[in-house]
Amino acid sequence: MPQSGAENPPRDAREHVRVARIGKPHGIHGEVTVQVFTDEPGERFSPGAVLQGRRGGQGAGRDGALTVVRARWNKDILLLALEEVADRNQAEALRGTELFAEPDEAGEDDAWYEEDLVGLAAMVDGTKVGDVTGLITGEVQDLLEVTLEGGASALVPFVEEIVPEVDPEAGTITLTPPPGLLTLNEPTAGGSSAAGDPA
């Protein structure tokens, strides 16, 4: 089971969509930098907006409601001032916290938690090829970690073109991987990886 560092969140929190992840503090007055996951930052982070904070990977950050006081851009980095954060130490304690909001825009209601995905059977053309064992969030895109039937692991970009369907009720996730994606880490007959060893 993934080490989220928190109990299962309330159902209404799980139905929210991820809009940002808190990064490092900025300055000494409690502002934080955030990695933005929404196309509507002006609406999501307007003064008075209440976001649901949830611990990120390895239990980083904290759970609880956070209220936006001010949002401003410093070049291409969004900075947030939060009502519950008064100084740099409190801002540092929030590092890694993921921020969620109620879904209200088309295309923003498809966020998934790692615990929703881990354990799902990875299917290709109706055949099970492995199991989802993790979700790695990244700057550009998220990656699914899939342990294949032969024991090797593969990282699958979590994008609609490659992961067209997630069906927790059926316990499956459908993949349409490009050629070679699932075999990059498989050992070859000579014992080396498919990526090849130096000649």
Side-chain angles (χ1 to χ4, degrees):
M1 187 172 180
Q3 300 299 312
S4 65
E7 299 276 337
N8 286 336
R11 180 174 177 81
D12 59 349
R14 290 173 59 83
E15 291 173 350
H16 290 180
V17 295
R18 185 179 62 165
V19 294
R21 183 190 298 115
I22 294 178
K24 63 184 180 180
H26 180 81
I28 63 174
H29 300 297
E31 280 189 313
V32 295
T33 62
V34 295
Q35 180 183 359
V36 177
F37 299 129
T38 175
D39 293 330
E40 301 291 343
E43 295 180 11
R44 292 302 195 185
F45 309 117
S46 60
V50 178
L51 303 172
Q52 180 66 36
R54 187 168 179 273
R55 296 182 193 185
Q58 290 77 52
R62 78 175 198 198
D63 300 328
L66 295 166
T67 306
V68 177
V69 175
R70 180 179 64 257
R72 64 187 181 93
W73 290 93
N74 181 12
K75 297 182 179 178
D76 57 349
I77 298 174
L78 183 63
L79 305 176
L80 292 184
L82 301 167
E83 185 176 306
E84 297 79 5
V85 183
D87 57 38
R88 187 178 181 89
N89 288 337
Q90 292 179 342
E92 179 63 41
L94 287 179
R95 188 188 291 224
T97 300
E98 296 190 329
L99 299 177
F100 294 81
E102 293 183 1
D104 63 0
E105 295 291 339
E108 286 195 342
D109 59 353
D110 58 354
W112 293 97
Y113 288 93
E114 184 177 42
E115 57 263 36
D116 295 327
L117 302 169
V118 169
L120 296 183
M123 310 294 291
V124 176
D125 294 330
T127 300
K128 180 179 178 181
V129 297
D131 295 286
V132 178
T133 52
L135 174 65
I136 302 171
T137 55
E139 294 282 342
V140 177
Q141 66 184 10
D142 295 344
L143 297 171
L144 288 175
E145 184 177 13
V146 177
T147 297
L148 303 174
E149 295 288 83
S153 63
L155 295 179
V156 178
F158 197 12
V159 295
E160 186 174 1
E161 292 80 5
I162 300 176
V163 187
E165 183 178 3
V166 179
D167 190 347
E169 292 186 3
T172 62
I173 187 166
T174 300
L175 308 180
T176 55
L181 179 64
L182 299 182
T183 58
L184 286 176
N185 296 327
E186 287 187 352
T188 63
S192 62
S193 67
D197 290 330

